[in-house]
Amino acid sequence: MKYVLVTGGVVSGLGKGVTASSVGVVLKACGLRVTSIKIDPYLNTDAGTMSPFEHGEVFVLDDGGEVDLDLGNYERFLDVRLTRDNNITTGKIYQSVLEKERKGDYLGKTVQVVPHITDAIKDWIESVAAIPVDGKVGPADVCVIELGGTVGDIESMPFIEALRQLFFSTGPDNFCLIHVSLVPVLGVVGEQKTKPTQHSVRELRALGLTPHFLACRSAQPLLENTKQKLSQFCHVSAANILNIHDVPNIWHVPLLLRNQNAHEAILKQLALLRVAIPPNLQEWTNRAETFDSLTSSVKIAMVGKYVGLTDSYLSVVKALLHACIACLLKPSIEWIAASDLEDESAKLTPEVHSKAWETLRNAACVLIPGGFGDRGVKGMILAAKYARENKVPYLGICLGMQISVIEISRSILGWKGANSTEFDEHAPNPVVIFMPEGSRTHMGSTMRLGSRRTLLQSADCITAKLYHNPEYVDERHRHRYEVNPEVVEHLEKTGLRFVGKDESGQRMEVLELPSHPFYVGVQFHPEYKSRPGKPSALFLGLILAATGQLEAYVKTHQNGSI
Ligand code: GLN
């Protein structure tokens, strides 16, 4: 196994994830099989308990792993399916070491950070790197490892030490270290400053690691003399100083690397030149350029709870982007804080309230993404009602589907007390209820997580047509509550159709309103499997419906082609 380690210095948020995944893309374009590992030095065992407000979305994998959103970047860029073990955290490592300690596996030895924690890290990396993630058999050729945080953080020390040892044991031909850094421009003179990079490389070297490459982030392209300076002071040859300057969209990043011959230099470092082919990045070039040239856009109202930090819905945003670009449109996402639509907001902040409604009314479609807790639920119900009554294309994801069920139960069935037991434990009409797959009492493991099969009840529904599959869809889940099977019959009397159910027939997975141009609610999260060039079926449906192209699309693609 060959490893490419990506570390970061100077400041966080430099786009280490995008750099690391772009390196993966370029290597993949050279005919290599690539996998990836993200190391998060925090103590949480996984991202499942982390607030989207603070940490961005929780990404969900096929195996139900709740992981850092960077894993989503890897899956999208490399078109792979990762496992929960591809995300290593300090919490997971300590947990495994402590479990072994309790079992007596250390035979009475003193258990220490070095060597026990560091050995556990190395073993974890080596075994996870060997898991095939691209649907083929056998391990990949290259594993890209991204070390989260910035070099020098106390938390990342054991990882740096473990990686240093890994480098030593795999040998120089099998290891390549790329350090991502920032070259800022300061003052009136506008000089590109190399000192922060020098300091962070010095820090890295003090820890026993010397970078083979620098990937310098900058606003403008690096000047030749900046490169020379960096090379001289950081002990990296000028040819290995890569520059990722600001670009109009992230799909340019792999192209930028290719244009600087990064692939050749990396392949040389890894002694892979002989087996690789010249990079084929035609699809990436087309996508990056197409996106830059798009002129029309489509307005999508995103009605949610965490609208302050757009990373909270990163995969939904990406899925919209993939669907829009397939329709040659730019997404114009109009964020609406659900609570601003509520009647209370009209009293307290009338301007905010009317602005939110105006935004909703001006949008071509409405999307209610997943969420937890009751904040904003009233506003979401109003938005779903608005979309249903005004025949505005609507996609409700997870919580968004549950909102539809509550709204229709209240408005059409007249069940005033209809609610989810998540929001009102003693709701007179519990239309959405807690339906754990496992234990009812142990909260930690009650979430329905990961890929599950949904059986489509008829080939004639819009979902089947968009997925080009009359029988089933496999999508990822992350929820506790579901439509109460006892109210399904009543709901179907209103014209609503539950067109997708799980294998038991008890869990409602997809709802549609055939009398509406596009009204779809799904209990799963289709956004996680959307890829550039392979947009998620329902997101595509939403955008096609929003722009009046859905019918034509369904007609021309009856036989399965996209
Ligand atoms: N809170 C809801 C549930 O647990 C919806 C979850 C979600 O939207 N991901 O079922």
Side-chain angles (χ1 to χ4, degrees):
M1 175 62 60
K2 312 261 181 184
Y3 296 98
V4 175
L5 169 63
V6 179
T7 57
V10 186
V11 286
S12 58
L14 278 180
K16 234 182 321 145
V18 173
T19 308
S21 21
S22 300
V23 168
V25 167
V26 177
L27 294 178
K28 190 177 166 192
C30 291
L32 298 167
R33 288 176 56 212
V34 182
T35 180
S36 77
I37 294 177
K38 167 82 198 286
I39 298 176
D40 283 307
Y42 47 67
L43 278 163
N44 307 56
T45 27
D46 62 36
T49 52
M50 298 171 92
S51 159
F53 276 128
E54 207 175 298
H55 206 259
E57 84 174 0
V58 175
F59 192 77
V60 180
L61 301 169
D62 268 354
D63 66 4
E66 298 175 275
V67 294
D68 190 85
L69 52 79
D70 275 319
L71 282 266
N73 268 334
Y74 290 111
E75 283 209 343
R76 286 186 285 267
F77 266 48
L78 300 172
D79 196 10
V80 291
R81 303 270 176 95
L82 300 172
T83 73
R84 66 174 76 233
D85 290 344
N86 291 67
N87 193 189
I88 307 181
T89 66
T90 299
K92 280 185 189 167
I93 296 288
Y94 272 76
Q95 194 170 42
S96 73
V97 170
L98 291 174
E99 264 165 26
K100 272 171 85 179
E101 186 271 336
R102 289 292 82 187
K103 278 198 282 170
D105 287 1
Y106 295 108
L107 306 171
K109 288 225 162 37
T110 312
V111 183
Q112 294 178 298
V113 173
V114 182
H116 302 102
I117 294 291
T118 46
D119 280 352
I121 296 170
K122 275 190 296 177
D123 293 347
W124 194 301
I125 292 176
E126 284 176 315
S127 64
V128 171
I131 303 173
V133 292
D134 55 1
K136 298 190 181 133
V137 273
D141 303 305
V142 180
C143 176
V144 177
I145 306 172
E146 177 193 348
L147 176 62
T150 29
V151 167
D153 293 349
I154 291 179
E155 307 184 298
S156 56
M157 291 299 178
F159 290 103
I160 299 256
E161 172 58 15
L163 291 160
R164 186 196 62 75
Q165 292 180 21
L166 184 69
F167 177 19
F168 188 65
S169 61
T170 54
D173 279 356
N174 298 316
F175 199 90
C176 163
L177 170 52
I178 304 178
H179 187 58
V180 184
S181 172
L182 175 73
V183 177
V185 167
L186 282 189
V188 261
V189 198
E191 196 188 347
Q192 292 180 327
K193 295 291 189 187
T194 62
K195 198 55 94 28
T197 306
Q198 293 179 41
H199 278 297
S200 81
V201 170
R202 189 175 305 160
E203 183 121 40
L204 199 54
R205 296 183 68 194
L207 299 169
L209 283 170
T210 302
H212 303 102
F213 291 85
L214 293 182
C216 299
R217 293 281 289 110
S218 60
Q220 298 297 325
L222 282 191
L223 301 172
E224 204 40 52
N225 87 2
T226 314
K227 260 194 193 170
Q228 290 304 334
K229 240 181 176 174
L230 284 167
S231 167
Q232 204 173 347
F233 297 137
C234 298
H235 205 84
V236 174
S237 72
N240 286 8
I241 297 188
L242 310 171
N243 179 206
I244 303 177
H245 55 75
D246 291 354
V247 281
N249 67 64
I250 57 169
W251 295 316
H252 282 283
V253 180
L255 309 176
L256 209 56
L257 292 173
R258 190 258 334 257
N259 296 349
Q260 297 172 43
N261 275 329
H263 55 290
E264 254 178 57
I266 297 172
L267 293 169
K268 194 162 147 214
Q269 173 65 35
L270 294 174
L272 281 171
L273 266 181
R274 268 184 313 117
V275 294
I277 54 166
N280 177 0
L281 286 167
Q282 198 50 51
E283 220 186 283
W284 286 78
T285 312
N286 295 348
R287 191 160 37 240
E289 287 173 0
T290 307
F291 188 73
D292 289 341
S293 67
L294 294 178
T295 47
S296 328
S297 63
V298 52
K299 280 198 176 125
I300 305 138
M302 269 270 264
V303 185
K305 173 178 167 188
Y306 320 103
V307 292
L309 175 69
T310 53
D311 265 8
S312 309
Y313 300 112
L314 189 70
S315 294
V316 174
V317 171
K318 296 291 176 191
L320 285 170
L321 182 62
H322 302 158
C324 284
I325 194 166
C327 301
L328 297 179
L329 291 163
K330 265 196 178 170
S332 163
I333 301 179
E334 309 281 335
W335 298 93
I336 302 176
S339 48
D340 290 347
L341 296 169
E342 296 171 4
D343 297 346
E344 283 93 285
S345 144
K347 281 184 228 129
L348 296 171
T349 47
E351 272 169 39
V352 174
H353 177 262
S354 61
K355 179 94 209 325
W357 274 99
E358 192 189 318
T359 312
L360 183 64
R361 288 199 188 96
N362 283 334
C365 56
V366 177
L367 196 160
I368 300 189
F372 294 83
D374 64 356
R375 190 148 66 82
V377 161
K378 276 191 221 148
M380 294 175 203
I381 293 174
L382 290 170
K385 185 173 162 71
Y386 162 81
R388 181 177 58 78
E389 291 180 342
N390 294 283
K391 303 221 181 293
V392 179
Y394 174 87
L395 178 60
I397 297 176
C398 206
L399 177 62
M401 166 174 176
Q402 300 171 1
I403 292 288
S404 292
V405 166
I406 300 171
E407 191 274 310
I408 291 175
S409 304
R410 288 187 191 173
S411 311
I412 307 186
L413 290 175
W415 296 352
K416 296 268 173 308
N419 213 338
S420 162
T421 53
E422 179 181 9
F423 316 130
D424 178 2
E425 229 181 299
H426 308 290
N429 306 99
V431 292
V432 176
I433 56 166
F434 185 33
M435 282 179 57
E437 275 184 336
S439 157
R440 235 169 222 279
T441 47
H442 288 76
M443 281 305 265
S445 56
T446 50
M447 191 95 86
R448 194 161 178 253
L449 276 168
S451 184
R452 295 283 189 282
R453 180 150 293 186
T454 292
L455 301 179
L456 297 175
Q457 310 294 304
S458 135
D460 198 30
C461 60
I462 191 70
T463 304
K465 290 175 188 159
L466 285 166
Y467 274 96
H468 306 304
N469 187 337
E471 281 158 29
Y472 65 87
V473 292
D474 290 330
E475 292 281 14
R476 298 176 184 174
H477 293 67
R478 183 174 187 250
H479 59 101
R480 290 197 179 86
Y481 295 83
E482 284 175 69
V483 179
N484 184 349
E486 285 175 16
V487 300
V488 165
E489 219 186 285
H490 297 278
L491 283 165
E492 290 208 320
K493 284 197 192 117
T494 69
L496 198 64
R497 287 280 163 272
F498 289 96
V499 298
K501 300 183 184 177
D502 81 330
E503 277 141 346
S504 74
Q506 289 300 297
R507 297 177 193 273
M508 301 305 121
E509 294 277 7
V510 188
L511 63 76
E512 287 183 13
L513 206 52
S515 57
H516 189 286
F518 186 86
Y519 189 98
V520 180
V522 282
Q523 193 55 73
F524 48 74
H525 290 267
E527 67 271 24
Y528 293 131
K529 281 169 65 175
S530 181
R531 303 279 187 269
K534 293 184 199 162
S536 168
L538 294 173
F539 283 84
L540 186 65
L542 179 72
I543 301 303
L544 289 168
T547 50
Q549 306 177 72
L550 182 62
E551 233 171 277
Y553 172 88
V554 168
K555 250 188 219 138
T556 35
H557 298 268
Q558 256 162 357
N559 302 325
S561 59
I562 298 188

